[in-house]
Amino acid sequence: MERKAAIVGWAQSPIVERDERIHKTEMIGRTVQAALDKSGLSIGDIDTVISASCDTMDGASISNVFVVESMGGFMKEESKVEEDGAYAALYAYLRLLTGHHKTALIVAHGRVDTPPQFYSWMMTDPFLLRPLGVEMVSAFALQANSYLSRYNLDERPAAKVVVKNRANGVRNPNTQVRIPISEAEVLKSPVLASPIKLADASPRSEAACALILANGDLARKITPNPVWIEGVGYNHDLYYLGHRDLARPESLARAARMAYAQAGIRNPRKETDFAEVYEPFSFSELMICEGLGLAEAGEGRKLVEKGIANLDGAYPVNASGGALCGNPIFVAGLLRMVEAARQLTGQAGEYQIKKDIRRGLVHATSGFCLQSNIVYVLGRDEAKPKPVQARKQVKDKVKKTGKAAKKAASRKPVRKKKAGRK
Amino acid sequence: MDSNQYRVLEGNISVPYRWTPGDIYGRFLGGLKEKKILGFRCPECKKVYAPATDICTACYYGFKPEDQVELPDAGVVKSFTVVRANLWPPKPDPEVVAKAIAPTKLEDHPLLWPPAPPYALVSVKIEGADTEFIHMVKGERNLGKLKVGSKVKAVWAEQREGYLLDLDHFEVA
Amino acid sequence: MGRRVAVVGVGMTENKSHWDCSMPALYRLAVTRALADCGLTHKDIQAVSFGQSPEYFEGINHPEKWLAEACGGYLKPVFRIHTGGTVGGSAAIGGYYLVASGMFDVVLAVSGNKLNETASAQIGLGTVYDPIIGRQFNTGAPSAVALQSLRYMSKYGYNEDYGIRAAVQNRQNAMNNPYAQLKIPGYNFEMAKSTPMLCYPLRLADMCPTSDAACAMIFVAEDRVRKITDRPAWVRGTAATAAGVYYADRDWAVPIELRKAAEIAYKQAGIKDPLKELDVVELYNAFSWQELVWYEGIGLCDWGEGGKLFDKGITAMTGSLPSNPSGGTLCANSIGAAAMFRKAEAALQVMGKAGARQVQGAKLSLGHGWGGAIQFHTIMVFGSEK
Ligand SMILES: [Zn+2]
């Protein structure tokens, strides 16, 4: 099992439908500063910055041009991945593995500057899908129906996913939809595109999220509770919806296999303790759990029917409420990593998983119908999470390490964030 | 004085495009104009792709015009979704849309904005093809009969010009 | 630092209007050429680092979703990097990290754009400007670079002819490059000087053309290199840096972030005196004056000395450090592929496979990329030796 880099800090802005009071750079700047504060680092300690955002969503070409300063990328080795933030974390992880960099800051931001339907419709090719007006909901609905008809299922298991995630979301102060819902209410909610009903769909959301990764030795100096990346895998399937088997996303199975091989996992259901998955729609969660190998094909429903995936179940899935309670595009996947890190370090508060957990799975997806998937295995040290030290002490420890100390001393002044309105 | 008005700056981006289909997509779209569904058979794995793509992905074979095969304009529904709600924001003034987000030919293709619900997005396996064709089924009568496994047949538009919607929709046989 | 990595294959498409092929076909053309260059097949590729510039150029969001399978990315690990004009360089660097990290042994990096799919690339480039402050006088890229160019001219007292001369040098070099777009026989100073002034101080001759193109590079881990080729281009240094747009004391004629990238890359490559040690450089000179600014940025000379270096003829094909034997971005600019072309050309030089544009005996080369709002830079240094 590889333990070469760990998550040592994070922060998110609360997921909201839309906050028209603040500019994007404020949202990002505050989030990055909060992540640095949490890990006791300053921007001078960061070696490389990788961001994730989308031109089409931001309505601006090269959308990192004007936010690179607020995300702390000024005069840094910087790059941008135009995928979910979980992919930006992957690229940062690769950079740490080479030893060129020792710390990395990952920043994802997603604002609904354009309606999500345009965002996803713009993903269609000009010849075969765009004329049909295919967008996220109808594409995933087509997939959901493929799945239901393949395994002769009805819509109730997916409704149970909604009930579970919404119940968890009530406990998560950072998420957007915090209203419980009953199975009957889900089933009665208006149909958007069969079988997807309003309650099966994730909301329209915006948020920013920052994550800090550090190399092995340094990670232990920064935090008593590093969350290790034990494995990561990702994969990409065919584009055209009619060219692949929508009911069984092969790229997900392959991504999971790659991550498990690195982490030395044979049976994920037994060797990991919980999962945070990016489910744009309720049906997706069932398919994702199967793709991750947590259930046999067509039997993802058992996880919700038997309460296994509940917060107090044997294998909690989306204890945070998942994307069904808040789906900021480009951020939602990175937030799954943050939520897993919160769980593994005992910082999840009201939605902390009560049983002893040592290892969790994180999943994120991008594209239509789970076309691209990324899977992480995250784990904590053997010992129980330690209480978090006062920030000052942590900072001193980092200062003792040669390079970071030098860098911090020689760092360029960074534009101070204005004390913002609340 | 608080000069901040907490307001949103509204705007849109208007970019005209002219997408190049190239030989393979071009032939497929040209076939639709002639009321034909054309597939492309990979000489290596013998799979038939309909609709067209430039390559057989598994073999990484680049299709050539001679790989073209003509298929019947009928097939079997493999999956579908009946879109009941207007998933799109309220349709703005067509002029604004044409300027704002849509390709230049919007005026000619009112359907570029999705049709008013209800309509179904269907995945149809054309007879003789190894892939599925994503298209639409329209009309309450058709929607009521739609099932996985339904046989469907193409309904062709009166005016055709080498565009996907030359095949107006599929109807349930 | 990580594993040693080499480029073993390079594939380029011609820079022109590819009216005859779709976007997937264009990408596939570059990839098949890269595979053929090193005798590998698509099955050998373990992962793809995909690059393409702003979506508003082609009107397709997440283009890798549609195009990756045309790059041999079917059921393989794929992610897309997008950093504007530098994207080709950033994707190449992504390819390097995928191998150097130990995650994969054989990785394809591919980047491109089909700028002729839009009525004008400047509309797409106009959307780079901040929608709240700036887009109201949305003027595309040339006027921003005009500001940079005039700043440079006036700061150091160079006359207008320097830009023209840099353009002519590149256009003459392009005659040797089968992939370049602007190839004008007998191109000379008078011809360039007589072109219309588009936005002062930039004449038509000072600007790059609009191209469709894709470029692909294959990165391979140390222990696989010798089986594939005896002429690899070893990656000796990589850096991608960012500055900002708002920072105080910003001077467009002094790209501090490029200097930083160069310092990082030279340190990795063990280069102390780049002017002496490098044998050839490929610079992302989308506009003529940038050639001189980038000389200074990559540390060939001090700030303000770029024009003087040019005067000495060092960077001509006959000089001791030829710049842009390919004709550079001034003669072919697809944006998405342009920065990768610079890396690929630099790699071809140390592989000894640059054909008519080969710098004899090139052992150490540098490929550069520029993008964003004149704020992102990428550098890769290649060597014929490890
Ligand atoms: Zn085949």
Side-chain angles (χ1 to χ4, degrees):
Chain A
M1 166 201 333
E2 301 200 44
R3 290 205 148 179
K4 291 175 180 163
I7 298 169
V8 297
W10 59 81
Q12 71 171 100
S13 69
I15 308 173
V16 292
E17 184 177 355
R18 175 96 190 156
D19 185 351
E20 288 178 352
R21 294 169 307 167
I22 60 170
H23 189 251
K24 193 184 305 173
T25 53
E26 285 177 275
M27 187 164 94
I28 295 164
R30 287 181 205 171
T31 308
V32 168
Q33 193 57 54
L36 290 168
D37 289 348
K38 180 173 174 63
S39 54
L41 299 174
S42 66
I43 194 70
D45 298 316
I46 300 295
D47 293 345
T48 184
V49 178
I50 311 285
S51 67
S53 62
C54 175
D55 288 8
T56 307
M57 202 71 183
D58 286 351
S61 282
I62 327 177
S63 56
N64 56 336
V65 161
F66 291 97
V67 298
V68 69
E69 286 156 287
S70 56
M71 65 176 63
F74 179 66
M75 292 302 279
K76 297 253 187 244
E77 290 198 62
E78 189 263 359
S79 200
K80 177 184 138 185
V81 172
E82 189 135 328
E83 302 269 13
D84 188 281
Y87 287 85
L90 164 76
Y91 190 16
Y93 177 58
L94 294 174
R95 288 187 161 208
L96 295 189
L97 288 182
T98 62
H100 284 312
H101 307 102
K102 294 198 161 38
T103 53
L105 170 67
I106 297 102
V107 186
H109 58 97
R111 276 202 110 163
V112 192
D113 284 345
T114 191
Q117 280 79 8
F118 291 137
Y119 159 81
S120 57
W121 182 58
M122 287 278 280
M123 274 164 63
T124 53
D125 72 280
F127 309 120
L128 300 180
L129 290 180
R130 195 161 303 190
L132 300 171
V134 170
E135 46 65 76
M136 214 50 113
V137 181
S138 49
F140 273 86
L142 198 63
Q143 180 181 41
N145 210 359
S146 293
Y147 173 73
L148 296 186
S149 59
R150 172 77 50 87
Y151 300 111
N152 274 322
L153 301 172
D154 59 24
E155 297 170 21
R156 282 174 299 177
K160 289 190 169 75
V161 170
V162 182
V163 173
K164 165 182 73 75
N165 289 4
R166 292 276 287 268
N168 293 347
V170 173
R171 296 162 173 264
N172 182 350
N174 286 312
T175 203
Q176 178 185 344
V177 180
R178 301 184 63 197
I179 308 159
I181 193 168
S182 71
E183 191 177 328
E185 285 171 313
V186 176
L187 293 170
K188 270 192 305 194
S189 72
V191 175
L192 298 178
S194 64
I196 289 179
K197 300 166 291 301
L198 189 59
D200 290 310
S202 49
R204 177 184 296 203
S205 317
E206 65 180 37
C209 178
L211 188 81
I212 298 172
L213 295 180
N215 265 0
D217 296 343
L218 192 58
R220 287 191 200 282
K221 293 192 173 105
I222 295 171
T223 172
N225 302 313
V227 175
W228 299 98
I229 296 178
E230 298 187 358
V232 57
Y234 64 114
N235 207 285
H236 179 95
D237 207 335
L238 293 177
Y239 167 75
Y240 188 67
L241 305 179
H243 285 167
R244 59 183 154 115
D245 182 358
L246 293 177
R248 292 194 71 174
E250 176 63 19
S251 70
L252 173 54
R254 292 190 185 216
R257 278 207 295 276
M258 180 176 161
Y260 297 160
Q262 287 169 24
I265 289 175
R266 291 229 176 89
N267 182 340
R269 175 73 176 78
K270 290 216 171 86
E271 293 169 67
T272 63
D273 303 305
F274 69 101
E276 278 285 335
V277 305
Y278 182 0
E279 78 306 11
F281 299 91
S282 58
F283 294 89
S284 322
E285 184 171 311
L286 301 171
M287 302 175 71
I288 293 164
C289 288
E290 293 167 21
L292 289 173
L294 301 174
E296 293 294 320
E299 297 191 348
R301 63 188 171 88
K302 287 185 181 166
L303 294 174
V304 280
E305 284 170 355
K306 295 181 177 170
I308 297 167
N310 288 353
L311 183 55
D312 57 359
Y315 194 97
V317 178
N318 280 333
S320 63
L324 284 177
C325 295
N327 180 15
I329 296 172
F330 276 74
V331 182
L334 188 61
L335 276 174
R336 304 277 74 73
M337 295 182 79
V338 166
E339 294 294 2
R342 284 185 175 131
Q343 292 291 351
L344 287 164
T345 54
Q347 298 179 52
E350 287 283 298
Y351 58 103
Q352 180 68 43
I353 297 167
K354 293 293 182 297
K355 65 166 187 157
D356 184 32
I357 51 172
R358 291 245 302 272
R359 238 180 192 182
L361 292 181
V362 167
H363 159 267
T365 187
S366 78
F368 285 123
C369 303
L370 309 177
Q371 188 192 355
S372 294
N373 293 282
I374 183 165
V375 175
Y376 284 89
V377 179
L378 300 181
R380 65 165 170 82
D381 283 327
E382 298 295 308
K384 282 229 166 203
K386 300 166 194 74
V388 182
Q389 288 171 288
R391 198 193 306 158
K392 172 97 177 34
Q393 285 168 286
V394 179
K395 205 158 192 166
D396 289 346
K397 275 193 183 174
V398 176
K399 287 250 165 86
K400 277 175 206 147
T401 68
K403 192 182 170 197
K406 247 202 241 153
K407 287 202 115 175
S410 67
R411 78 179 209 265
K412 293 247 179 338
V414 188
R415 191 167 72 99
K416 261 255 190 266
K417 289 283 146 273
K418 273 175 265 161
R421 297 177 296 275
K422 277 280 148 62
Chain B
M1 187 191 87
D2 185 0
S3 62
N4 193 321
Q5 302 163 44
Y6 288 161
R7 72 186 190 99
V8 171
L9 189 65
E10 292 193 351
N12 53 51
I13 293 173
S14 157
V15 189
Y17 294 107
R18 43 188 188 199
W19 293 300
T20 315
D23 216 7
I24 305 304
Y25 283 116
R27 276 166 188 274
F28 178 78
L29 296 176
L32 296 180
K33 189 174 177 182
E34 310 291 319
K35 296 199 192 182
K36 286 176 185 162
I37 295 179
L38 301 178
F40 286 81
R41 185 193 306 275
C42 171
E44 293 176 25
C45 67
K46 312 294 178 205
K47 301 270 186 205
V48 175
Y49 282 70
T53 62
D54 282 297
I55 59 162
C56 169
T57 34
C59 307
Y60 200 52
Y61 168 78
F63 283 118
K64 299 186 175 65
E66 58 264 32
D67 302 323
Q68 178 180 316
V69 290
E70 194 179 327
L71 301 172
D73 65 348
V76 176
V77 170
K78 289 295 190 176
S79 185
F80 67 92
T81 175
V82 180
V83 180
R84 290 280 172 196
N86 192 353
L87 303 173
W88 292 65
K91 187 172 179 174
D93 183 342
E95 272 191 19
V96 175
V97 177
K99 283 184 193 145
I101 40 93
T104 43
K105 291 193 124 188
L106 182 89
E107 314 82 90
D108 310 334
H109 303 292
L111 274 183
L112 204 59
W113 202 268
Y119 67 95
L121 206 57
V122 290
S123 171
V124 178
K125 191 157 215 161
I126 300 293
E127 286 170 37
D130 293 295
T131 64
E132 291 161 28
F133 189 5
I134 309 295
H135 216 291
M136 283 190 288
V137 165
K138 289 193 289 191
E140 278 295 354
R141 191 189 65 84
N142 278 320
L143 296 180
K145 291 195 285 181
L146 195 56
K147 285 195 199 66
V148 171
S150 297
K151 290 208 162 79
V152 289
K153 192 163 168 38
V155 176
W156 298 95
E158 290 291 313
Q159 299 258 318
R160 295 181 305 280
E161 51 174 278
Y163 186 63
L164 188 81
L165 296 179
D166 287 357
L167 196 171
D168 190 75
H169 64 277
F170 282 94
E171 67 176 4
V172 181
Chain C
M1 287 293 182
R3 292 197 295 180
R4 299 309 306 275
V5 177
V7 175
V8 296
V10 167
M12 301 172 174
T13 70
E14 290 73 18
N15 283 268
K16 61 174 188 178
S17 294
H18 285 269
W19 288 114
D20 53 342
C21 78
S22 64
M23 278 169 70
L26 182 70
Y27 271 76
R28 185 174 181 279
L29 184 60
V31 172
T32 47
R33 285 177 176 175
L35 291 169
D37 187 38
C38 56
L40 296 178
T41 75
H42 70 282
K43 290 185 182 130
D44 298 312
I45 301 298
Q46 295 169 350
V48 178
S49 171
F50 184 97
Q52 195 188 71
S53 251
E55 285 113 49
Y56 290 107
F57 286 162
E58 287 103 345
I60 293 157
N61 182 20
H62 276 300
E64 82 285 1
K65 299 285 179 280
W66 181 33
L67 301 175
E69 60 206 63
C71 305
Y74 166 54
L75 287 181
K76 285 180 190 155
V78 175
F79 67 67
R80 172 178 177 223
I81 292 176
H82 167 29
T83 58
T86 48
V87 66
S90 301
I93 291 175
Y96 161 77
Y97 276 110
L98 284 162
V99 179
S101 62
M103 195 79 83
F104 305 102
D105 291 336
V106 183
V107 169
L108 174 81
V110 59
S111 194
N113 260 133
K114 210 158 179 296
L115 296 185
N116 286 302
E117 306 277 285
T118 168
S120 166
Q122 295 310 326
I123 306 178
L125 283 169
T127 63
V128 172
Y129 289 86
D130 185 303
I132 296 178
I133 300 167
R135 204 176 289 173
Q136 292 79 357
F137 36 85
N138 160 7
T139 48
S143 28
V145 177
L147 297 180
Q148 182 192 29
S149 303
L150 186 61
R151 171 77 186 151
Y152 180 78
M153 285 169 67
S154 55
K155 183 170 182 178
Y156 302 118
Y158 288 116
N159 66 26
E160 206 189 295
D161 292 349
Y162 276 83
I164 299 285
R165 285 164 57 203
V168 171
Q169 178 171 309
N170 279 278
R171 299 273 151 73
Q172 288 173 347
N173 288 353
M175 296 305 290
N176 293 325
N177 181 0
Y179 301 101
Q181 177 165 357
L182 278 190
K183 292 203 278 189
I184 306 156
Y187 199 74
N188 60 31
F189 181 82
E190 286 68 34
M191 285 165 78
K193 182 95 186 204
S194 65
T195 57
M197 183 71 77
L198 295 192
C199 50
Y200 181 80
L202 303 180
R203 292 179 183 276
L204 184 60
D206 291 306
M207 299 187 191
C208 55
T210 302
S211 319
D212 297 345
C215 185
M217 298 171 81
I218 295 171
F219 291 85
V220 168
E222 190 168 17
D223 50 346
R224 298 281 289 271
V225 171
R226 287 297 163 199
K227 273 190 191 153
I228 298 171
T229 178
D230 50 7
R231 288 196 291 178
W234 292 97
V235 179
R236 296 278 299 272
T238 55
T241 54
V245 282
Y246 297 122
Y247 65 94
D249 301 327
R250 182 181 187 195
D251 185 342
W252 287 22
V254 183
I256 49 173
E257 69 283 9
L258 174 56
R259 183 62 71 83
K260 170 146 188 175
E263 283 166 5
I264 294 168
Y266 294 156
K267 193 173 169 215
Q268 290 171 9
I271 293 174
K272 297 212 168 61
D273 183 349
L275 187 62
K276 284 217 178 78
E277 292 173 60
L278 287 171
D279 296 313
V280 54
V281 294
E282 277 281 341
L283 303 176
Y284 193 117
N285 52 357
F287 298 87
S288 60
W289 285 94
Q290 293 184 323
E291 169 113 6
L292 309 180
V293 182
W294 303 157
Y295 288 166
E296 300 165 20
I298 63 169
L300 299 184
C301 56
D302 267 342
W303 299 119
E305 305 282 313
K308 290 178 192 153
L309 187 73
F310 185 81
D311 280 338
K312 289 180 196 160
I314 290 173
T315 58
M317 272 312 272
T318 49
S320 60
L321 177 53
S323 167
N324 290 330
S326 66
T329 311
L330 265 172
C331 301
N333 192 2
S334 57
I335 301 189
M340 190 175 284
F341 271 109
R342 306 281 75 75
K343 313 291 186 286
E345 288 284 350
L348 284 178
Q349 290 286 352
V350 298
M351 293 159 117
K353 296 202 286 195
R357 56 198 189 284
Q358 178 71 45
V359 173
Q360 289 311 316
K363 288 196 166 61
L364 201 58
S365 65
L366 178 149
H368 161 249
W370 154 67
I374 321 191
Q375 79 201 102
F376 298 144
H377 289 275
T378 57
I379 282 183
M380 288 186 103
V381 176
F382 298 98
S384 55
E385 307 290 325
K386 267 195 230 177

